[in-house]
Amino acid sequence: MDYKDTLLLPKTDFPMRGNLPTNEPKRYNAWYDADIYEQMKAKRADAEMFTLHDGPPYANGDIHIGHALNKTLKDIILKYNYFQGKAVRMTPGWDCHGLPIEQKVEEKLGKSKKEAMPTEKFRELCRAHAAKFVDIQRESFKELGIIADWENPYVTMDFKFEANIYRTLCEVAQRGLLIERHKPIFWSWAARTALADAEVEYEDKEDYSIYVHFELSDAAKEKLGIEGKAGLVIWTTTPWTLPANTGISLNPEEMYVLTDDGHIVADARYDAMIEEGVVSGHASRKIAATELENLLAINPVNGRTSTVVLGDHVLMDGGTGCVHTAPGHGEDDYKVGLKYGLEVVMPVDERGCYDASVKGLNLLPHADEFVGMHIFKANEPILEILGDNLLKQSKFVHSYPHCWRTKKPLIYRATNQWFISIDDKPEGSDNTLRESALNAIEDVNFYPASSKNRLKPMIEGRPDWCISRQRSWGVPIAFFRIKSTKEVIFDADVLEHIAALFDVHGADAWYSMSNAELLPAGSKYNPDDLEKISDILDVWFDSGSTWNSVLSSGNYDAGEYPASLYIEGSDQHRGWFQSSLLLSSAVHQVSPYKTLITHGFTVDEKGEKMSKSKGNVVAPDKVIKQYGSEILRLWVALSNYQTDLKISDGILKQTAEQYRKIRNTFRFLLANVNDLEAYVEANEYGELDRWILTKAREVFASVKASFDVYDFLGGFATLNHFITNELSGIYMDITKDRLYCEDKNDVSRRATQSAMAHISKSMLGLIAPVLTYTADEILEYAPALFKEGMENVFDLVYVEVPEVESSFDDALLIEARQNFSEAIDSLKKEKIIKATLELEIAGDVSILPIADSKDLEDWFVVSAVKRSSEGEQVASFEVEGKTFTVHKATAHKCPRCWRFTSTSEDCACERCAKVVGA
């Protein structure tokens, strides 16, 4: 008899190979064509809401691997919550305004064409450029299998969106936090605009290090009772700012010394100054900083007076303890200047060149030669002017602020700008904006927890937020100013009328409409008396107000405010996380996010930054074409995203191997439950089934606990260990006999099938957020009992493995199985045996915690486990100090099940004979 046909061998059409690059696009397109996102909303209509608010990528250029990481991580988290039974929302968005787009359009046009073009026409070209890349990036994200509201994204240049950005600005203004000041801010002379802190990068730059003598005025010397030479020594790295000096700051708590050679430095810095050769005389007199307050010194570059002031910003860790103070060129300088009423001198234009006002600064000897000179070229001429007052000069390399787009060094430059005041109290609030933001942080869950220690100090120490830019492509700071008084109009009727016009015409209306058209009917203001403010908003204001424009406006079905989660790269602590927190705190005194997740950046396998010049760039589209998006998604889940993430072809190959392991495990399970039509009752499970069900329940609970705190690496490590060891390494191996050889409806076979089906179903809910395509494919080939009416993976809700009673101590048995395997390893290598079924084990089986002898035989995959054996002993192993011997089986090989349990090789064993009716 040919027994092969009587075996119940695994059967499934689920393919071993995924052929992902070919098959994924078809399934993804079917999802998008069916508007699966809308279906997901309908299926969880009354469930608890989970809102993931998408931080907008910039609509300029193709997506890179960092984009792929970010959006995939968001998708995994969103789907995890969905498969846990929650209603989910993610409205994808794009940042469309700002300098990079403006520069791209300018490059195409040429400078002369741009300057001759009406602002609204130039804005139209910028809009078209951004729209093009919104479409390109959207399609790229969809190729990653990202599910979101792709049909209704938020785009910051949409008319209603621009109107709501403006409405947020108006709310900030009406709460008294919007102020106009002439103060120094980071200025990009290359881009000719102000910059926010988040737009500043730090790169190495070579600068001068100079020590300059400022002689005390005669009146100051007289007051101090000093005769002869005496002056304060300042240290600076920016000689070009010396013409704008109006003060010298001292530390109010420090003592200062006058040296024999006529120089005044801090006592705490005297020894260092002697060592550096800046001063050489004996410290002949000590003077308290307070004695010098309000005295005058003489600026050696122009003979103007410089007032001695006191400030806590003066530190003793470098320099001379006497700080050159130019309120037009520094934040600390400005603050101390406000306190003492110092003049804010600003002789530098938007190009970084001295303007005509430099003539009034009496630069010696020829001030007019400096007009039009770039400040960085002025250092050497100024050093010449200093003459003997230049005590020491050298050059050094230090970290210096640069423009994030032009990559050119920045300057601090005092201009008229709009700021959101951090230390004023919003109307109706008892706390300042800074205090409100810091309080709001305390209610946020941070992952990793350490990221709170990044964001909080940034809020504690940040200056007022400069939100104005001197560019064209953005939302205008659309306020009127009365020409005669320069008063800004914050009339609620006027503001809302402008916002309503923006709803219909977009912010272009500010440029294309007349003053009369921009004022409401019956306005008390005469249009001829008004002028428009020409600045636009910082692009970080656009993205920082998205919680209002997207979550609160009612224009999108985007979820709830505050959002459940914001997740972006770690650089957004100084960008989007901070701007969103400040604006939400300004308007509502709450954080816009309940949870904040920070991820690292993508690097190559050596941990180096990717660049085209190094040739180590990994492009998402290339990965998808070579491996499929499932491998990229699994790479995200298997990476520690809280640090920088390494990616390379080698790493992706390893990820593909892990994918194959998961896929083939499901294939085996599907193939072995294909004829299961009903689950067995709980009391029908055998000891091995109870063990694996209990083990799976514990493991999956641990995996879920990891996923609940967004630890996908830890969760998958636990899951993969279980799949490799207990599930595939043991259970799937030891149950083959009962699955293939028992009667189709034998209770032990049906129990094992039931256990496998329960484990598969539960495990599917855990992998589905990451391997959504594969989970959907698994469901397509799953038996009806498994599907339970599910048409696709988006009908899936995670279910736990059923709880069963089990007192199974697997530690002892796993040790015994391992020791047995090690003992017989040489038998296989020496070809004494081909398979473990040729063996039987003898010893004190009472110490092994399985009562059923057949289960014991299956555990070791041998033909018998008994107290003694008459067969030839070929090995031995120990368990708990007891010795077990391994023997050649004494019975004959069954031609059907291959167990050595037959009376002769020609006939089936008793079990098999009964099954086939022989």
Side-chain angles (χ1 to χ4, degrees), residues 677-713:
E677 295 176 355
Y679 295 108
V680 301
E681 296 297 323
N683 61 359
E684 295 180 292
Y685 288 112
E687 284 184 277
L688 296 181
D689 306 319
R690 291 175 186 278
W691 164 69
I692 198 65
L693 284 168
T694 302
K695 192 72 180 177
R697 185 178 170 88
E698 290 172 359
V699 168
F700 294 173
S702 175
V703 173
K704 183 180 177 303
S706 293
F707 287 1
D708 282 343
V709 293
Y710 310 106
D711 179 9
F712 300 105
L713 170 61

Side-chain angles (χ1 to χ4, degrees), residues 129-180:
H129 178 92
K132 171 187 170 184
F133 283 102
V134 167
D135 290 340
I136 288 171
Q137 291 187 9
R138 173 167 35 200
E139 291 310 305
S140 297
F141 288 135
K142 289 168 78 171
E143 287 173 3
L144 294 166
I146 311 296
I147 302 297
D149 196 356
W150 296 117
E151 298 304 310
N152 305 289
Y154 76 84
V155 179
T156 60
M157 66 183 179
D158 284 350
F159 291 173
K160 286 184 179 296
F161 206 102
E162 289 184 331
N164 281 315
I165 293 170
Y166 177 66
R167 287 190 175 98
T168 308
L169 174 67
C170 293
E171 288 196 66
V172 171
Q174 288 166 334
R175 279 170 169 73
L177 293 177
L178 189 64
I179 53 176
E180 188 179 20

Side-chain angles (χ1 to χ4, degrees), residues 456-613:
K456 190 173 179 181
M458 287 182 177
I459 297 295
E460 286 173 336
R462 69 154 297 135
D464 290 341
W465 177 8
C466 177
I467 61 166
S468 49
R469 297 291 179 271
Q470 291 65 50
R471 304 295 300 189
S472 303
W473 178 229
V475 175
I477 298 178
F479 300 134
F480 283 115
R481 195 193 300 275
I482 298 172
K483 291 178 185 176
S484 58
T485 64
K486 300 303 179 184
E487 177 192 350
V488 178
I489 294 172
F490 292 126
D491 184 299
D493 291 338
V494 173
L495 301 184
E496 184 45 46
H497 180 71
I498 293 170
L501 289 173
F502 285 7
D503 275 325
V504 178
H505 305 286
D508 294 346
W510 187 245
Y511 304 95
S512 61
M513 290 185 176
S514 66
N515 289 4
E517 292 171 302
L518 290 163
L519 290 170
S523 170
K524 62 185 179 183
Y525 299 101
N526 181 345
D528 294 333
D529 294 339
L530 307 178
E531 60 186 8
K532 296 175 183 176
I533 290 172
S534 60
D535 294 342
I536 64 166
L537 279 169
D538 171 14
V539 73
W540 291 104
F541 190 101
D542 288 20
S543 56
S545 64
T546 54
W547 56 265
N548 196 10
S549 302
V550 180
L551 302 180
S552 298
S553 68
N555 292 338
Y556 305 86
D557 183 9
E560 298 173 344
Y561 166 80
S564 310
L565 176 65
Y566 276 31
I567 171 170
E568 300 299 330
S570 55
D571 57 331
Q572 295 308 319
H573 286 110
R574 57 200 294 263
W576 191 54
F577 294 159
Q578 195 175 147
S579 61
S580 300
L581 176 66
L582 289 173
L583 290 179
S584 182
S585 299
V587 177
H588 296 299
Q589 289 77 56
V590 296
S591 166
Y593 36 79
K594 296 175 184 175
T595 297
L596 194 65
I597 296 180
T598 306
H599 64 74
F601 299 103
T602 50
V603 294
D604 70 10
E605 59 191 335
K606 297 177 183 175
E608 294 180 0
K609 188 177 178 180
M610 293 186 190
S611 69
K612 289 180 181 177
S613 60

Side-chain angles (χ1 to χ4, degrees), residues 10-21 23 627 631 656-671 732 773-774 777-778 781:
K11 185 179 179 183
T12 181
D13 292 327
F14 180 63
M16 183 180 292
R17 296 187 181 278
N19 197 9
L20 300 175
N23 292 332
Y627 293 100
I631 306 305
E657 282 301 315
Q658 289 183 280
Y659 171 79
R660 274 190 280 275
K661 180 68 179 175
I662 294 170
R663 184 182 181 90
N664 288 330
T665 299
F666 271 102
R667 187 172 185 272
F668 180 91
L669 295 170
L670 282 183
M732 284 161 53
Y773 164 88
T774 305
E777 191 185 8
I778 288 167
Y781 291 99

Side-chain angles (χ1 to χ4, degrees), residues 20 24 627-636 652 655-656 659:
L20 300 175
E24 283 174 345
Y627 293 100
S629 67
E630 289 285 79
I631 306 305
L632 190 61
R633 295 173 65 85
L634 187 58
W635 164 75
V636 172
L652 289 168
T655 307
Y659 171 79

